[in-house]
Each structure stands twice: as structure tokens, then as C-alpha cells.
Amino acid sequence: MKNILLLLGIFTLTSCAELQQVANQFPELGQTQSLDIAGGLKEALNNGITKQVSKLTVTDGFFKNEMVKILLPEELQKVDKALRNVGMSKLADEGLKVINRAAEDAVKEATPIFVDAVKNMSFNDAKNILMGNENAATTYLQNSTSTALYSKFNPVIKSSFNKVGADKVWSQIITKYNSLPLVKKVNPDLTDYTTNKAMEGVFKMIAVEEKSIRTNLASRTSDLLKKVFALQDKK
């Protein structure tokens, strides 16, 4: 009974059956006494947000990071090639850069959405993440936030296109391309494309930190992270 009450205090569970299941699965809890699995997973995710996602918000955070750099969609690769073939490489380069600039600007809006998702993590979420694969926490965030992120990012990307001059650059690019002889005219939805690519970049960076915490003991920078992920090491 003492152990059950202790677990109840640690995890704030309401189900006795669930408490027994946890006690059976993690006998180490009786020894750690203050281990908080959900707290450890929240700390790991917050590390991913503060250490990695923040890198994307600075100038060249996307553009000079080959892991997340937004490349042109297939439809626009032929536009890029055609412009370079007629001596407009500088304009083509600028078109790629401003897409990434818009993503860098938009990611600044991501943190509050992630904070809410982390705050609302349940004990079951935490348990499944801890014993899951190397990107289980990232997948949890992806499943929990993608709809909200898209809704937030899309208008911000649209606004950012105007702020960083992407709308003018791409208007010029498309006009130039469509005026070339024998080409099929294009009218891509760059806002939607850039929104989705910006989201992909965010989750890739969170996955980097998660993998580091799971596999690199030096990345477990607090006692809580060390204790919680020691359970994962034993699975």
C-alpha cells in the first residue's frame, strides 16, 4: 500500500489497476522514490524545443542547415533550371532563399503550441514514449500539434512572404518563366508548400535532440533525465 500511495503521488494516477501495471513494469520505482516519468519526458521535449527549434528561427536557420533546407518543389525545379539557362541565376538563387526566410520567420510562432502539447502529456503518453523507438517523443508532438501548427503557420508564412519579399520575388520569377517560349505555365501554391516544409524541419530538429538524449548519456543534463532514461536503457 505504501508503494501504491507513493506511485500515486508521483504520477497522479487514478486507476489502481494502472498503478499495479506500472509497479510491475518498472520495479525500479520503488527505489528511486521521486522518479517522475512524465516530468522527464516533458523536460526532454522542452530541451528539443529550446535547443533545436530555436536554431531555425535565426537568419539562415533553414537556408544553411542542409538537414532542413527547403528545396524547390518538383514543379518549380524546371522553372529554376529554365531561368539559369537564360542567365537569371541570381533571381533563381533569391527565389530559393526567400522561401527559407519565410520559414525561419514562421517558426517563431511554434513554441507556444509545443508548450501546450507538452503540458497536456498524460502518464500513458509518457510511458509509451519512454519505451518507444528513438523518435517516439517527436512522433507524439507531431501527432498532437500538426493541425494546430498548420493553422498557425499558414497565415504566418503568407505574411512572412510579404515581409521578406518572397511574394515579389516569386511573382517576378513566375512572370519571367511563363513568358518564355514553349513552356507550360505554372502557378504553384508556395504558401502551402512552405508551410508543410517548415513543419517538417521543426520535427526533424526535435528528433535530433530526442535521439541524443536517448543514446548519449552526456545529453542527459539533469538528474531527472538520467533517472528516467535509465529505465529506457534497460528495456
Side-chain angles (χ1 to χ4, degrees):
M1 180 61 72
K2 182 178 179 181
N3 286 338
I4 291 176
L5 289 174
L6 176 60
L7 287 167
L8 182 62
I10 295 171
F11 299 114
T12 323
L13 298 176
T14 57
S15 166
C16 290
E18 189 174 25
L19 282 169
Q20 188 58 54
Q21 179 185 359
V22 175
N24 292 338
Q25 187 170 355
F26 300 120
E28 297 92 337
L29 295 182
Q31 299 168 7
T32 60
Q33 297 190 5
S34 60
L35 187 57
D36 179 358
I37 292 178
L41 266 295
K42 290 177 182 181
E43 183 177 338
L45 283 171
N46 282 325
N47 283 354
I49 294 165
T50 56
K51 290 182 180 179
Q52 300 297 338
V53 177
S54 61
K55 294 177 182 178
L56 300 177
T57 65
V58 300
T59 300
D60 290 328
F62 272 86
F63 190 62
K64 291 188 177 179
N65 182 340
E66 292 303 318
M67 183 184 299
V68 297
K69 182 178 181 179
I70 300 175
L71 303 178
L72 294 178
E74 185 176 350
E75 181 184 14
L76 291 181
Q77 290 174 15
K78 61 184 179 182
V79 175
D80 181 89
K81 184 177 180 180
L83 290 178
R84 295 181 190 280
N85 286 342
V86 296
M88 296 185 185
S89 295
K90 186 175 180 180
L91 181 59
D93 290 340
E94 187 63 17
L96 184 60
K97 182 183 290 186
V98 291
I99 288 177
N100 285 271
R101 287 285 182 270
E104 291 157 9
D105 189 51
V107 170
K108 297 171 186 175
E109 304 292 327
T111 301
I113 295 172
F114 286 142
V115 168
D116 285 343
V118 172
K119 190 184 301 182
N120 293 327
M121 181 190 294
S122 70
F123 172 77
N124 268 336
D125 291 330
K127 182 178 66 174
N128 292 335
I129 289 168
L130 182 66
M131 306 311 288
N133 59 33
E134 68 179 20
N135 64 344
T138 304
T139 300
Y140 164 79
L141 267 190
Q142 199 162 4
N143 292 337
S144 302
T145 65
S146 286
T147 299
L149 274 183
Y150 187 93
S151 297
K152 187 74 171 179
F153 271 27
N154 195 256
V156 174
I157 291 284
K158 189 173 183 178
S159 174
S160 295
F161 268 29
N162 179 59
K163 184 191 298 186
V164 303
D167 53 347
K168 293 180 181 178
V169 171
W170 275 98
S171 176
Q172 184 180 0
I173 287 174
I174 298 303
T175 300
K176 292 281 188 184
Y177 176 78
N178 287 342
S179 68
L180 296 175
L182 304 178
V183 300
K184 183 180 179 181
K185 290 179 171 47
V186 296
N187 185 27
D189 184 349
L190 275 175
T191 301
D192 176 71
Y193 175 78
T194 306
T195 299
N196 284 306
K197 287 298 180 181
M199 290 169 59
E200 284 181 23
V202 164
F203 293 121
K204 281 182 181 179
M205 295 305 291
I206 292 174
V208 167
E209 184 66 18
E210 178 181 2
K211 183 177 180 179
S212 179
I213 290 174
R214 286 186 183 274
T215 60
N216 184 359
L217 296 180
S219 294
R220 300 172 187 177
T221 54
S222 71
D223 288 340
L224 182 56
L225 286 176
K226 290 173 184 176
K227 290 177 181 178
V228 168
F229 282 93
L231 294 180
Q232 171 223 252
D233 297 339
K234 298 175 182 179
K235 72 176 181 179

